[in-house]
Amino acid sequence: MLKKAITVVYLLLFSYLNIVAQTNYNLDWLTIDESLKETWSITTGTEEFEGKVFRSNESENVQYKILILCSKKSSSYILAFNKLLEVVGGRFPNTEFIFYNFNKNEDRASEIVTYEADNDITMIVAMGSEAMIFSAENLSSSDIPVVTCINKDPVLLGYVDDYKNGSGTNIAYTSVNVPLNVNIEWLLKFKPNLKSMTILYDPDHSSVVKSEVLPLMEYLKDSGVFFYDGAIKSGESIEEDIAITMKKGIDFMEENDPGLDNSLFWLTSSTNIFSKMEVIAKQAGNVPVASSVPNTVNSTEDSAMLAFGIDRRNSANLAALYILEILTGNSSPGELPVGVVTPPDISISFFAASKVGERIPFEIFENASFVYGYDGRKLREYNVTVENREE
Amino acid sequence: MCLTFVLLIFVGYGEARRTTYTYRIETTILQSDTFIDIIDPFIEAGFPLTMYSGYNSIADVFLESNRDISVFIVKDHNGQIVYTKSRFDDPIDQEFSIAKINLVDTNNVLLKESLDMFSIERSLPENRDGNSGSIEILLSKDISENYLNNEFDYIFKALIIASLLLAIVFYISTSDKKIFEPITKRLKDSFIKVFYLVLFITLGVLVTFTTVEVNYIGVRGKADAIGTLLARRLSPVIELGLEFKDLKDVDTILVDFKNRYDMIDSVSLITSEMGGSNVEDQHDYILYDSNPVQIGQEFSPDLKRHLVFDAPLYFTKGDTVKNRLLIKIKVPRREINMAVLNSLINFSALIIGCGLIAMLFLNVGLAIAATLRRRHEISDSALNTEESLQLIKAAYFLVVFISAMAVPFFPLLVSELNSGKISSLPFMIYYLTFAGVLIPSGNMSGKGRIKETMAIGFISELIAGLLIAFSTSLPLLTIGRAMGGVGQGFFLIGFQSYVISVTPPEKRTQGAAIKVIARNSALIAGTAIGALLYVFMGYRNLFILSSAISILGFLYLILMVPRTTQKFGTSSKKLELKNISYVFKDAGFIKVLLLTGIPAKMGITGVVNFAVPLLMGVMGYTPESIGRYLMLFFIVSMFTTKIASKHTDKTGNTTGILFLSALMGGLGMLALGLQEVILGYNSSVVTIMGLFVIGIGNGLISAPIITQITKTKSSQKVGHGPMIAVYTFLERFGHILGPGVVSALIAVSNNRTAIGIALFGAITLFLGLLFPAITRKKDFNQIA
């Protein structure tokens, strides 16, 4: 009986902790680079919203207050925020950055905006697709300028009409998406006789589905390439789900491509999925993993083999330039065209390639911005050979 | 005379400079082919240019493999910069204008030039939407300039020594000091002649040798540069510590590379292994090859057939000389030899130009020496006919040389100043003012003011040069050109009167031949040297230079050319407009004018200067080749004139010579125009032979027709000088009408230039046949 009671209490406690975790607004995960730590001091924001405030030691006064909203924990956001600190903070040390995670709770996001608006914020940075969608649907009539950062294509998602003209509102959009044909072209350079593919994505990540998954599926159907719909819902059992889905994917691809010589896993930019690279790399077996997120190719043994997309730091750099444009009064947010970083980055890992016995086409190698060696060490970064490489 | 040395070296240096720039530009274009090949599939696949990821890698390869490249730019179809990489931190701020260098293959290449740089812009392939971007590469001139200055350093020193030696010999030759009295005049003349020729030939050999070397290095440089480009593309594999076996399609890269460059027989990536310390122990094994059968074999080229160019891959500190990777490119020796030979032929055209000037000024120098020797003894009249003709020939040469310098580029300049449109106005104005001043200049020379008439020629050319130099619009340019016509007209009439006044009747044809020889020499040298000067001076400086030459010519005329006593001339009679109506009643004059004189002039301006370059352009000849063949025309004309004039003076048979001239001219044009119809293709041999025959025709008519005119009854009454002025005035209508008539004939031939030329040839032939058929003995006096 007691044992049963303990079990019930345990389950109840576990459920409670899970709920707490689901509604976790904290920013413990948000770190800044060592090189920035000396310059930027961090304090906690208002207790109610669990924010973090970043203020430069190089300036006593605060002239600009930038509110940054994100909807979840993400390694991409860490990279992006560090870039904002570097570029915007470097140009205007008298800028205060106030960072909040609204954890997909739009009501909370509205409360944060209302609260900070009273504190005379200069600008809002919407980091991630959810934050962009929130801004587009709730803040477009506001007087406060908004710049989006690390978000999916706002044109494909229907928030802007085209890439050439601005939104005409108070929002300046950027995008991390690369046109589909660009990715396809590179994929075909890698696997000219591509027969089958498994697409890994989170079906609840609507912006990824709309901007990446559906267009890709349509293309594959038209071109006769077999694909397995590797939808993996985010949740407690995500790692297990990834494993199961990838196993099914391999079976499917093997049916259409015995030997799997002309097959691959395509990893979309669903954060919940690509943040589980250790599972993906393990489950892929001898099938190469390619991705639309260059940062998934890295020094670890869990790296993807190759990626074609926008490096998050480059995308954040563009958002930072937009912020400066607006702060200096050179442009208004509505007249800035959708900011797409060009050209896209190619990342390759010879470590991942050698594990599955793949050879990289010379053309891809020649054009790669990021190259990781046989031992996983970074050999080339931003198109520049990494110095001090040990022979 | 020293100036001819300077000119020779200046021309040689200019040719070497042009050659060096051309090779470096062509090398860069060849290298940019690789970039276009790499990006082409992406554009075809629908990539926006902004989405191509490889700019950085390629730009690095370019900058590392070609030290001339300063900036690499990619632009979209709107001209917006998509990517840029510069060797310098500072932005490049240059004003570019269209470059004057003609490339072998100008397809898809826009070449511009500033003081310090060249800009090479190439269109990229069109994408699915029909939009095409471009790449622009900026080349610095610094490296080429330094290289050339080093190459020519010893020649500049040789020039100073040669000039000093010549000055000493000239002093001895002209000195009346007792110490030199034992040396006879004949010996002095011979010695200075031989000495001058030895110096000229020595300098010529040095310049030619250096120019050939520059060419050879240039051709090799092209092969070297494309080899280096490939090596630099492949180097990152080694640089990053990777192995080729882990990369796919390296063999395809080599095959594509070989297919892209015609000059290459094969390209291999080899590993060079040293078995010991001797070179003999080195073995090269092929890792990849444009011919896959060779892979794994030892690399052993047939060095009799091929030149092999090596380009090492990146050499990391971990590598050793015992195991190096190299790109080896095999280029057939005949490719290199042919390229050098072609350049030599091009250069030979310039050497001929300089040689002509040298020959002319050698005789002028001797005539001046004769003048100086006698300056204390007797008056100018003591100069004999030969010496007088030599002195005035130099002045005429200069005035025509000034005009000819603009011939190669003037249509382009007109187009530039006329918003890119071709305008015939400056050309028409030139001939009209030329014709318009013939009567007043004839009258002036008829009054005995022959030197003054010629002086006006130089002064007008001086004004013309300055007006054109400072022209920024078509109207001012046209006025300048009009002044040029005035200058040429005045000088020509003065010159002809001068020649007649110092030449006895039995040597009159020889006297007239002086005109043709000086004129053709000036045309040959002026055209070749003018084109060269234009390349590195631009039109403003060139016209300022031509004005300076006009001043020199004017001073030479005033100080060195003796006044004529008109002892043989009848040019004292006035020529007035009424004389024109008078000569039209002279059947002999009309027949000569309409059946031979005017058609011949129309042939020169309409066929040789206008239609032949068009036809040769269609046939694929480069502008340099066209210039060379036109030079052949002038050379043939010149030598034919010399022979024909002597023959005419001996036999007095001018009618027969004029008939032969029309026959040759007509047949030559028919051959040029009908070759495609008859053979089914355009033959280089027929084209050259056609021009050769037309040149003979032109040479045959030039001097005899003047003699024929002086034989007319009108000439006996009006006087030779005014009569020649009238003829020269009327033959100008041939010049003016030529391009118009030939272009009309081309138009009626469905714009087939060749057929237009053939039709004009048929007309010339017909009129030529008619001339002896309807000419009567009573039409002419037998002794002029």
Side-chain angles (χ1 to χ4, degrees):
Chain A
M1 184 67 183
L2 180 67
K3 199 176 176 181
K4 212 171 189 178
I6 290 169
T7 307
V8 169
V9 169
Y10 175 79
L11 284 174
L12 283 172
L13 183 65
F14 183 83
S15 301
Y16 169 76
L17 288 173
N18 197 27
I19 289 163
V20 168
Q22 290 280 325
T23 56
N24 192 351
Y25 303 114
N26 78 53
L27 291 169
D28 296 344
W29 50 270
L30 184 65
T31 55
I32 60 172
D33 294 347
E34 288 298 321
S35 58
L36 296 168
K37 277 183 178 166
E38 278 187 18
T39 316
W40 295 89
S41 60
I42 309 168
T43 54
T44 50
T46 165
E47 257 184 44
E48 187 183 353
F49 299 122
E50 299 178 57
K52 275 188 176 179
V53 179
F54 298 79
R55 191 176 288 175
S56 172
N57 303 326
E58 292 174 358
S59 175
E60 290 180 2
N61 305 319
V62 173
Q63 185 178 353
Y64 304 114
K65 285 185 176 178
I66 296 180
L67 168 63
I68 301 175
L69 288 174
C70 76
S71 66
K72 62 190 172 197
K73 170 186 171 183
S74 168
S75 56
S76 296
Y77 299 164
I78 299 172
L79 296 173
F81 178 61
N82 276 279
K83 184 55 79 175
L84 294 185
L85 280 183
E86 179 190 324
V87 178
V88 181
R91 173 80 169 81
F92 292 120
N94 51 359
T95 305
E96 185 179 86
F97 295 88
I98 311 152
F99 204 115
Y100 291 105
N101 173 6
F102 64 88
N103 204 14
K104 299 182 184 175
N105 182 343
E106 292 200 353
D107 293 338
R108 187 178 176 89
S110 297
E111 287 168 22
I112 292 169
V113 171
T114 307
Y115 173 81
E116 290 296 347
D118 291 340
N119 289 330
D120 296 330
I121 52 167
T122 319
M123 180 183 287
I124 298 170
V125 173
M127 193 169 279
S129 297
E130 286 89 353
M132 178 201 74
I133 292 167
F134 165 76
S135 302
E137 292 177 355
N138 299 284
L139 304 178
S140 59
S141 57
S142 164
D143 292 336
I144 304 170
V146 179
V147 175
T148 74
C149 177
I150 315 294
N151 52 275
K152 300 298 176 299
D153 191 330
V155 177
L156 287 176
L157 295 175
Y159 294 108
V160 192
D161 293 335
D162 57 53
Y163 297 96
K164 289 178 185 171
N165 300 302
S167 66
T169 68
N170 63 322
I171 305 177
Y173 290 91
T174 63
S175 168
V176 290
N177 281 97
V178 171
L180 177 69
N181 63 335
V182 175
N183 276 334
I184 295 291
E185 189 63 27
W186 283 118
L187 271 180
L188 292 178
K189 294 273 175 208
F190 178 52
K191 293 281 182 191
N193 303 312
L194 183 65
K195 285 185 181 164
S196 64
M197 178 194 281
T198 296
I199 306 169
L200 301 175
Y201 67 100
D202 178 355
D204 295 333
H205 200 158
S206 62
S207 55
V208 170
V209 173
K210 277 187 193 171
S211 63
E212 288 185 49
V213 179
L214 293 178
L216 177 60
M217 287 178 169
E218 198 173 324
Y219 170 83
L220 295 174
K221 268 182 203 163
D222 290 346
S223 54
V225 176
F226 300 100
F227 65 91
Y228 181 74
D229 186 344
I232 304 160
K233 278 187 174 274
S234 180
E236 192 189 338
S237 59
I238 185 166
E239 293 183 1
E240 197 178 328
D241 291 344
I242 289 173
I244 293 166
T245 305
M246 289 183 73
K247 173 75 177 68
K248 286 180 182 172
I250 289 173
D251 292 344
F252 172 85
M253 291 191 289
E254 213 159 19
E255 271 177 35
N256 298 295
D257 175 29
L260 297 169
D261 291 331
N262 295 301
S263 301
L264 55 82
F265 283 103
W266 179 249
L267 180 57
T268 63
S269 58
S270 295
T271 317
N272 293 330
I273 311 296
F274 75 69
S275 60
K276 301 293 178 190
M277 276 308 299
E278 70 280 6
V279 183
I280 294 168
K282 192 176 168 189
Q283 295 300 326
N286 286 334
V287 181
V289 177
S291 168
S292 63
V293 184
N295 307 71
T296 57
V297 178
N298 50 46
S299 298
T300 69
E301 60 180 10
D302 304 326
S303 166
M305 184 190 299
L306 69 173
F308 317 108
I310 308 291
D311 184 90
R312 272 35 184 174
R313 288 160 290 191
N314 286 340
S315 184
N317 190 60
L318 181 60
L321 295 177
Y322 272 24
I323 292 168
L324 293 178
E325 276 287 291
I326 296 164
L327 289 181
T328 52
N330 287 338
S331 307
S332 66
E335 67 188 29
L336 288 167
V338 175
V340 181
V341 176
T342 56
D345 297 300
I346 297 173
S347 301
I348 50 178
S349 165
F350 280 89
F351 179 52
S354 60
K355 272 203 304 188
V356 296
E358 275 285 344
R359 292 197 303 156
I360 305 285
F362 181 81
E363 215 170 350
I364 292 180
F365 165 74
E366 187 175 34
N367 290 301
S369 322
F370 298 88
V371 177
Y372 296 86
Y374 299 121
D375 54 1
R377 264 182 295 191
K378 194 183 285 174
L379 305 177
R380 188 191 285 170
E381 186 178 32
Y382 294 112
N383 291 100
V384 177
T385 300
V386 175
E387 297 296 334
N388 305 320
R389 176 173 63 85
E390 287 175 30
E391 297 302 329
Chain B
M1 290 164 86
C2 287
L3 282 176
T4 60
F5 294 161
V6 175
L7 184 67
L8 174 73
I9 288 164
F10 191 57
V11 165
Y13 181 79
E15 171 64 8
R17 196 166 183 254
R18 189 191 65 81
T19 305
T20 301
Y21 283 152
T22 304
Y23 279 128
R24 298 208 175 200
I25 291 165
E26 285 177 355
T27 299
T28 309
I29 291 171
L30 285 175
Q31 290 185 317
S32 67
D33 284 340
T34 293
F35 172 76
I36 292 174
D37 283 351
I38 292 171
I39 200 170
D40 187 25
F42 295 89
I43 293 174
E44 268 185 25
F47 266 49
L49 280 176
T50 49
M51 284 293 163
Y52 178 65
S53 301
Y55 295 131
N56 253 323
S57 321
I58 293 297
D60 283 343
V61 167
F62 268 121
L63 265 59
E64 284 168 20
S65 64
N66 188 336
R67 289 184 302 139
D68 291 328
I69 296 178
S70 298
V71 186
F72 177 79
I73 302 166
V74 182
K75 295 178 187 171
D76 67 13
H77 64 281
N78 292 320
Q80 296 291 315
I81 292 177
V82 171
Y83 174 84
T84 180
K85 182 145 197 167
S86 172
R87 198 183 284 278
F88 308 110
D89 295 333
D90 298 331
I92 303 289
D93 184 19
Q94 301 274 321
E95 262 191 41
F96 288 97
S97 57
I98 302 297
K100 282 85 190 175
I101 287 181
N102 294 312
L103 300 174
V104 174
D105 175 14
T106 53
N107 289 341
N108 244 355
V109 177
L110 174 62
L111 182 64
K112 290 184 286 183
E113 185 178 9
S114 73
L115 281 176
D116 307 322
M117 291 194 168
F118 286 104
S119 155
I120 300 167
E121 189 157 358
R122 302 198 65 188
S123 297
L124 294 171
E126 286 186 356
N127 64 14
R128 288 169 183 164
D129 303 326
N131 293 325
S132 169
S134 61
I135 53 170
E136 185 176 6
I137 299 168
L138 302 187
L139 286 188
S140 166
K141 292 181 180 175
D142 287 352
I143 296 169
S144 301
E145 293 285 348
N146 291 338
Y147 161 71
L148 284 171
N149 289 338
N150 284 337
E151 287 289 313
F152 272 78
D153 186 51
Y154 78 101
I155 293 180
F156 292 138
K157 286 171 183 160
L159 167 69
I160 294 167
I161 294 167
S163 300
L164 284 173
L165 289 174
L166 188 65
I168 293 166
V169 171
F170 192 82
Y171 172 75
I172 295 169
S173 174
T174 55
S175 172
D176 51 5
K177 291 200 168 157
K178 281 193 175 177
I179 192 170
F180 302 123
E181 270 177 5
I183 310 169
T184 62
K185 173 195 171 284
R186 192 184 169 84
L187 192 63
K188 280 178 179 174
D189 280 359
S190 300
F191 182 67
I192 193 170
K193 225 172 192 172
V194 171
F195 193 72
Y196 174 77
L197 284 175
V198 167
L199 287 180
F200 188 85
I201 290 167
T202 307
L203 284 176
V205 168
L206 289 178
V207 171
T208 306
F209 176 77
T210 307
T211 310
V212 169
E213 190 190 4
V214 165
N215 267 294
Y216 184 65
I217 290 170
V219 182
R220 288 182 62 103
K222 279 162 81 168
D224 245 346
I226 55 176
T228 307
L229 179 79
L230 181 60
R232 290 306 311 156
R233 281 184 72 188
L234 298 176
S235 285
V237 179
I238 308 301
E239 189 181 356
L240 298 182
L242 302 168
E243 291 183 40
F244 280 101
K245 68 177 176 58
D246 294 315
L247 290 163
K248 276 196 284 192
D249 306 331
V250 178
D251 48 349
T252 313
I253 299 287
L254 266 63
V255 172
D256 289 348
F257 193 81
K258 189 256 164 193
N259 292 339
R260 160 53 85 176
Y261 299 114
D262 295 339
M263 70 188 294
I264 293 176
D265 252 8
S266 75
V267 55
S268 323
L269 174 62
I270 62 114
T271 172
S272 182
E273 294 173 5
M274 294 286 281
S277 55
N278 296 324
V279 177
E280 290 79 26
D281 296 332
Q282 180 179 322
H283 294 283
D284 296 340
Y285 294 102
I286 298 171
L287 294 177
Y288 295 95
D289 197 284
S290 51
N291 179 6
V293 176
Q294 295 293 321
I295 293 174
Q297 308 280 320
E298 188 167 355
F299 182 80
S300 51
D302 177 358
L303 292 175
K304 283 182 184 164
R305 285 184 56 226
H306 289 107
L307 280 173
V308 178
F309 295 89
D310 291 358
L313 267 62
Y314 183 86
F315 202 64
T316 66
K317 55 186 171 183
D319 297 327
T320 67
V321 285
K322 287 189 176 178
N323 186 8
R324 295 177 61 193
L325 292 174
L326 296 105
I327 287 294
K328 281 190 183 272
I329 287 178
K330 283 199 282 191
V331 178
R333 281 186 183 272
R334 66 170 187 282
E335 280 279 341
I336 306 281
N337 296 341
M338 284 308 292
V340 173
L341 186 64
N342 275 335
S343 303
L344 252 181
I345 292 168
N346 266 338
F347 184 60
S348 66
L350 293 170
I351 285 280
I352 288 169
C354 288
L356 286 170
I357 295 173
M359 279 166 59
L360 189 129
F361 278 90
L362 174 63
N363 289 324
V364 173
L366 291 176
I368 291 171
T371 310
L372 293 173
R373 269 199 299 268
R374 297 171 195 172
R375 65 186 180 273
H376 300 304
E377 306 164 13
I378 40 180
S379 67
D380 291 340
S381 60
L383 286 179
N384 61 34
T385 299
E386 193 71 25
E387 287 164 348
S388 297
L389 286 177
Q390 290 300 342
L391 287 174
I392 195 63
K393 189 166 79 171
Y396 183 53
F397 174 90
L398 284 178
V399 87
V400 177
F401 182 83
I402 291 165
S403 173
M405 282 203 299
V407 169
F409 64 87
F410 203 72
L412 182 68
L413 178 62
V414 171
S415 165
E416 265 184 43
L417 296 181
N418 193 34
S419 311
K421 292 177 211 156
I422 292 289
S423 168
S424 59
L425 184 64
F427 301 92
M428 287 171 59
I429 284 284
Y430 174 82
Y431 287 118
L432 280 173
T433 54
F434 195 132
V437 301
L438 294 179
I439 291 174
S441 59
N443 288 337
M444 192 171 169
S445 66
K447 288 175 186 167
R449 293 157 64 190
I450 295 174
K451 270 184 81 169
E452 287 82 348
T453 309
M454 290 187 283
I456 290 174
F458 273 126
I459 293 166
S460 302
E461 278 292 355
L462 164 67
I463 297 167
L466 292 175
L467 280 172
I468 299 174
F470 296 104
S471 289
T472 50
S473 63
L474 191 61
L476 196 58
L477 183 95
T478 307
I479 295 168
R481 195 66 177 155
M483 284 306 294
V486 169
Q488 294 293 319
F490 262 94
F491 197 96
L492 179 66
I493 294 303
F495 170 74
Q496 285 177 339
S497 299
Y498 188 96
V499 168
I500 286 170
S501 74
V502 299
T503 316
E506 70 274 13
K507 287 188 175 178
R508 196 145 289 163
T509 307
Q510 251 176 292
I514 288 286
K515 171 197 159 192
V516 181
I517 291 164
R519 179 176 167 74
N520 281 328
S521 300
L523 281 172
I524 294 164
T527 307
I529 293 165
L532 182 69
L533 293 176
Y534 177 57
V535 168
F536 53 84
M537 257 187 184
Y539 81 92
R540 285 182 196 284
N541 289 332
L542 189 135
F543 277 105
I544 288 171
L545 177 70
S546 83
S547 295
I549 298 174
S550 297
I551 295 171
L552 285 177
F554 176 80
L555 293 173
Y556 170 79
L557 180 74
I558 299 300
L559 300 174
M560 303 307 298
V561 176
R563 281 193 175 277
T564 170
T565 54
Q566 302 166 45
K567 60 183 174 183
F568 304 114
T570 53
S571 57
S572 56
K573 284 185 183 175
K574 286 184 180 177
L575 175 73
E576 293 174 359
L577 279 173
K578 65 181 180 188
N579 288 337
I580 295 175
S581 58
Y582 181 76
V583 299
F584 271 115
K585 292 171 191 160
D586 182 341
F589 180 86
I590 293 297
K591 285 172 192 171
V592 175
L593 181 73
L594 295 182
L595 301 181
T596 63
I598 285 186
K601 294 300 170 192
M602 289 169 74
I604 293 171
T605 59
V607 174
V608 177
N609 289 349
F610 172 68
V612 167
L614 280 178
L615 177 67
M616 294 181 81
V618 171
M619 289 165 70
Y621 286 93
T622 61
E624 286 154 340
S625 305
I626 296 171
R628 211 161 56 221
Y629 291 130
L630 288 180
M631 186 179 272
L632 173 76
F633 166 84
F634 289 127
I635 291 169
V636 170
S637 284
M638 190 174 69
F639 282 104
T640 310
T641 299
K642 201 164 187 177
I643 296 163
S645 62
K646 281 187 179 168
H647 178 78
T648 311
D649 281 346
K650 235 184 242 177
T651 64
N653 181 15
T654 45
T655 310
I657 296 279
L658 293 180
F659 162 69
L660 193 61
S661 160
L663 186 71
M664 299 290 267
L667 287 175
M669 291 176 207
L670 280 171
L672 265 183
L674 294 181
Q675 55 173 318
E676 194 179 2
V677 177
I678 295 168
L679 300 174
Y681 63 94
N682 286 310
S683 155
S684 292
V685 175
V686 175
T687 305
I688 293 164
M689 289 310 293
L691 264 178
F692 193 87
V693 173
I694 297 171
I696 292 174
N698 183 55
L700 284 174
I701 196 172
S702 301
I705 200 164
I706 298 294
T707 307
Q708 186 79 3
I709 290 298
T710 58
K711 283 183 185 175
T712 58
K713 288 177 176 169
S714 313
S715 188
Q716 297 303 308
K717 293 180 180 174
V718 176
H720 292 330
M723 192 61 199
I724 289 166
V726 170
Y727 169 73
T728 312
F729 169 70
L730 293 174
E731 78 171 4
R732 295 292 134 192
F733 288 101
H735 281 148
I736 298 165
L737 291 172
V741 169
V742 174
S743 64
L745 290 173
I746 292 170
V748 298
S749 317
N750 287 332
N751 288 323
R752 294 176 68 187
T753 310
I755 303 298
I757 292 173
L759 284 175
F760 190 81
I763 292 168
T764 306
L765 197 58
F766 172 73
L767 295 175
L769 289 168
L770 207 58
F771 177 63
I774 65 170
T775 297
R776 301 287 175 263
K777 280 191 176 177
K778 60 178 183 178
D779 291 337
F780 301 100
N781 295 306
Q782 288 314 297
I783 298 170

